[in-house]
Amino acid sequence: MKEITRIVDVFEQIDFSQRKAALATVVWVEGSSYRRPGARMLITDDGRWEGAISGGCLEGDALRKARQVMLDGQPIVVTYDTMDDGANSFGVGLGCNGIIDVLIEPINPAYAQNPIAFLKEFAQKRDVRALATVLKSDGTNVFPGKRYVLTGFADESVPTWLKPDMEEVFDLGKPLTKGYTVGLETVDVFIERIDPGIELVIFGAGYDVIPVAKLARDLGWQVTVTDDCIAHLSPKRFPAATCVLYADRQVVLDQLTITDRTAAVLMSHNFNYDRAVLQELLKTDVPYIGILGPRKRFDKMQDEFAKDRLSFSEAQLNRVHSPIGLDLGAETPDEIALSIIAEVKAFFTKRTGSFLKDKTGPIHERVSGNAAGYGRLGTSINLEDIGAGTVGLDA
């Protein structure tokens, strides 16, 4: 989400009376790569770019390809083959062991359906959506660069031949690159799900909330800080927060929108406040609730619920993470913030937060069988052929 927002912001600053621009998007990965399908890079004809499609080794060549795309006005797909560990054009072996397809397409700001327009709409609405981009077509009815959007609402603009796969990507979140036969045409399409990111709501506005809010915003999350003590809620204390909200503990949820991407974190250091907020949160569908402090604090809250004859199911209580955070040995407020944010991220990506060296198999889940019928049209490039002008390493 942060990369998309930044690309949109930079795009709107471009003077198109003087400059041309293109968008590069990773649309297929086989094996290992630093970036995954959906990674983007905005490029202008003066050699500037925002975003990234690799760890640095492909950007230079993508710039050169993008300049040609800007002149021709036609999108292309470039295939980068990093399978050869002996590709030593930089004096080192890249060791990526992957094949990466990158769509590079020109951007015409006068065209209402240019690729940035779709990203801008997403950044404004902040909804979950599946986005399908046509990579290749050997006919005229469906042209390269055409896009289809599927949200949670019925969208009749999505063709019937594409809708089942878009719905699957929308539900599972796994990108798909696939070939289709549409009448007499053969069409290659890249389908991805784009998410608005995690929405973090922090209850309490103490000094140790500041690094949590800052780190979450650095990741591109939406951050709301709320408390029932107005003295703690000076916006100057939380310049990174998306929203600073003063609300009584009994009605605070009336002013918040809870989604399946919301993480609620209780950090007030006020037992009665946290207990009152937790009581209301357990009645909602918020998927993640974290409480700062020792486990006995949460145990005491449950005892008081029982005394008040408040009953919550095991499923409701299992959403509570107490004590909050991953076991990093955190001591300082900044370290505790890292522990909290790391656990929230692991929860929503369904990961364990364990050491990667102990993980068997690849870091990222390998997508198998989703390229059935997908015929590469890209200009195939081995990194030995790229030459000077690229820097850094991919991994």
Side-chain angles (χ1 to χ4, degrees):
M1 181 67 195
K2 181 180 180 181
E3 184 173 70
I4 289 177
T5 302
R6 180 59 184 161
I7 284 174
V8 171
D9 290 343
V10 171
F11 172 81
E12 294 187 330
Q13 297 171 17
I14 298 173
D15 180 1
F16 280 95
S17 67
Q18 303 293 325
R19 301 261 69 92
K20 294 180 181 294
L23 184 70
T25 306
V26 177
V27 297
W28 171 253
V29 170
E30 180 180 342
S32 299
S33 73
Y34 187 79
R35 299 301 308 272
R36 309 306 295 168
R40 292 175 170 84
M41 180 171 72
L42 176 68
I43 304 164
T44 53
D45 59 355
D46 58 353
R48 299 181 183 183
W49 75 82
E50 180 67 36
I53 57 171
S54 76
C57 61
L58 305 182
E59 278 70 7
D61 187 73
L63 257 65
R64 287 191 288 274
K65 296 291 188 298
R67 288 193 182 100
Q68 190 60 50
V69 165
M70 294 175 209
L71 291 174
D72 296 341
Q74 296 297 322
I76 64 171
V77 176
V78 182
T79 298
Y80 293 99
D81 187 348
T82 68
M83 287 291 190
D84 184 6
D85 282 336
N88 291 322
S89 54
F90 310 115
V92 294
L94 292 172
C96 302
N97 298 113
I99 300 174
I100 305 125
D101 283 359
V102 179
L103 169 67
I104 306 176
E105 53 190 324
I107 302 173
N108 180 356
Y111 178 45
Q113 293 194 334
N114 73 71
I116 303 299
F118 285 89
L119 300 181
K120 182 178 180 180
E121 181 189 38
F122 164 69
Q124 291 172 339
K125 293 186 176 180
R126 296 188 65 86
D127 56 359
V128 179
R129 53 181 58 191
L131 179 64
T133 303
V134 176
L135 305 179
K136 181 187 75 168
S137 173
D138 58 10
T140 57
N141 293 325
V142 183
F143 54 88
K146 183 173 179 58
R147 283 174 167 80
Y148 302 96
V149 176
L150 179 71
T151 64
F153 303 96
D155 193 334
E156 297 180 357
S157 66
V158 177
T160 55
W161 55 268
L162 188 57
K163 193 170 184 179
D165 284 330
M166 290 191 70
E167 290 175 338
E168 181 177 351
V169 170
F170 183 91
D171 291 337
L172 302 180
K174 297 179 181 179
L176 177 70
T177 305
K178 185 175 177 180
Y180 300 86
T181 300
V182 185
L184 299 177
E185 298 182 27
T186 299
V187 181
D188 287 348
V189 181
F190 168 59
I191 310 173
E192 61 182 314
R193 188 179 75 182
I194 49 180
D195 296 304
I198 295 168
E199 301 158 356
L200 182 67
V201 182
I202 307 174
F203 296 88
Y207 73 96
D208 52 352
V209 171
I210 296 173
V212 177
K214 182 178 184 303
L215 182 53
R217 284 299 291 155
D218 284 344
L219 294 173
W221 299 1
Q222 294 287 99
V223 178
T224 297
V225 178
T226 181
D227 204 329
D228 64 355
C229 178
I230 197 168
H232 293 165
L233 286 171
S234 168
K236 292 182 178 180
R237 298 185 68 204
F238 301 99
T242 314
C243 174
V244 177
L245 175 66
Y246 167 70
D248 184 85
R249 66 189 69 176
Q250 305 297 337
V251 297
V252 63
L253 295 187
D254 295 342
Q255 301 185 51
L256 297 171
T257 300
I258 301 296
T259 73
D260 60 359
R261 303 289 295 172
T262 299
V265 176
L266 281 61
M267 297 183 63
S268 75
H269 300 280
N270 181 321
F271 177 84
N272 291 327
Y273 176 84
D274 284 352
R275 178 197 176 281
V277 171
L278 178 62
Q279 178 178 323
E280 298 305 311
L281 285 171
L282 288 172
K283 300 173 185 177
T284 72
D285 294 327
V286 61
Y288 177 97
I289 304 170
I291 304 177
L292 186 70
R295 184 174 287 105
K296 62 183 180 181
R297 198 165 182 266
F298 176 46
D299 292 340
K300 184 179 178 181
M301 291 180 188
Q302 294 180 80
D303 291 340
E304 294 202 1
F305 290 155
K307 290 178 183 178
D308 293 340
R309 296 186 178 181
L310 294 171
S311 177
F312 296 103
S313 68
E314 183 178 353
Q316 288 175 305
L317 295 172
N318 281 342
R319 289 180 292 153
V320 179
H321 294 246
S322 176
I324 190 174
L326 296 185
D327 185 6
L328 306 180
E331 297 288 347
T332 67
D334 293 280
E335 292 172 347
I336 293 170
L338 177 62
S339 171
I340 291 171
I341 295 299
E343 181 181 82
V344 173
K345 174 64 177 176
F347 173 84
F348 282 100
T349 53
K350 297 180 174 60
R351 297 300 182 97
T352 64
S354 58
F355 293 140
L356 284 175
K357 76 171 188 175
D358 295 332
K359 181 179 176 67
T360 58
I363 296 173
H364 300 284
E365 181 179 355
R366 296 288 171 84
V367 181
S368 60
N370 73 346
Y374 168 54
R376 286 199 175 90
L377 79 158
T379 302
S380 184
I381 295 179
N382 188 291
L383 291 194
E384 290 180 329
D385 302 325
I386 288 181
T390 56
V391 294
L393 295 175
D394 202 346

